[in-house]
Each structure stands twice: as C-alpha cells, then as structure tokens.
Amino acid sequence: DVRQAAEEALAEIGEEAIARLTEATKDAAIERSLRAAKILKGIRAAGIGLRHVASARHVDLNGAVNIALSPDGHFVYSPGWRSNAINIFRRDAATGGLVHQGTLVGGENLAGVVHVRLSPDGKLAVATSFNSKTVCLFSRNADDASLTLEAARRPEAGLDLQWPTDSVFSPDGQFIYTVD
C-alpha cells in the first residue's frame, strides 16, 4: 500500500520527477527499478508538459496565428489579423486556462496584425501589421496587461516597409528588429 501510494504521488508530480525516476530505473533493486520505469512510462504516455487544457474563443481572434506570454506568466496576447486586433487574456497559473481580459482594436495601425512580442522586461510590446505596413511600439501595464500606443512607424515615416510580418526586441530591449 505504501509503495502504491508513493507511485501515485510520483506520477502526480509528473515532469519534475523524470530526472530522479530515470536514475531510479538503474537501481540495483529490481522492484525499485521496475516501479520507476512503470511511472516514467505513465508520465510520458499522459503527455505531461503538453496537454490540452481548454479552448479560448473570441470574435477578435479571427486570423490568430501567434501568441506571446508575459514574462510573469500571467497574461497571453494574441493578434487576430482578420480582426485587426490584439486580444489579451489572463492566464490561470494553476490550470493554464485563459479568460478574455480585453481587446485592443487599432484601426489603421493594426490592420493585418500578425505578431505581438514583449520586451525581455515585459514593459513594452511591439506589434507588426502587414496590411497597414506598420510596426507599433506599446507600453505595457504589468498589473492589468493593457497596452498603450507609444509610436507607430509606417513607410511614410521614413521606413521602407512593404510587407512586415514579424518584429522582435533585442535581448537588452534597446532595439526592435523587423522582418519585411
């Protein structure tokens, strides 16, 4: 009974127990080795670390092709290029479930928005929109995940943007690189 309870507890731990269970499969005691192998097999079969938790549906997710997770893990951002909008979801850390927090509809600046990326410190966000040929810089409120437009760059602002599809911050957060 004690060994069975220990097996169940290790299986509940899941992915975090894999390293120790792998070591235990090499144990000289056959029973411990076999039990560890059985638990490992169960964890891998259950797909711990990659499993479907729930689906989030919202009209402004039309054309969603990308997501960004806030550095603190509390919020998820997803642009909907057909909706010309950035969707903001609060993430439940215990279940992984998402609750729609709000939508930023950007009109001409977010027409065809396909990527949202957060700066390494999470204080800024960059959005890339191919229909409007725009790269937008936003400040980000870490408490409620809201985004405030700080700057928008388009071809008429001196950039040679034809079809921007992605942007990313440099590791120090000082620069933005855009694929066009």
Side-chain angles (χ1 to χ4, degrees), residues 15-32:
E15 192 173 31
E16 293 176 21
I18 288 177
R20 293 230 176 155
L21 287 167
T22 302
E23 281 180 41
T25 62
K26 300 171 188 164
D27 196 300
I30 302 246
E31 183 184 4
R32 281 192 293 254

Side-chain angles (χ1 to χ4, degrees), residues 2-57:
V2 172
R3 290 180 184 149
Q4 183 61 35
E7 273 187 40
E8 291 169 8
L10 284 167
E12 282 291 317
I13 292 171
E15 192 173 31
E16 293 176 21
I18 288 177
R20 293 230 176 155
L21 287 167
T22 302
E23 281 180 41
T25 62
K26 300 171 188 164
D27 196 300
I30 302 246
E31 183 184 4
R32 281 192 293 254
S33 175
L34 291 174
R35 283 182 182 269
K38 176 183 162 191
I39 298 166
L40 270 174
K41 183 177 179 182
I43 290 172
R44 291 184 175 130
I48 300 298
L50 183 61
R51 58 193 159 101
H52 180 266
V53 175
S55 295
R57 295 184 185 275

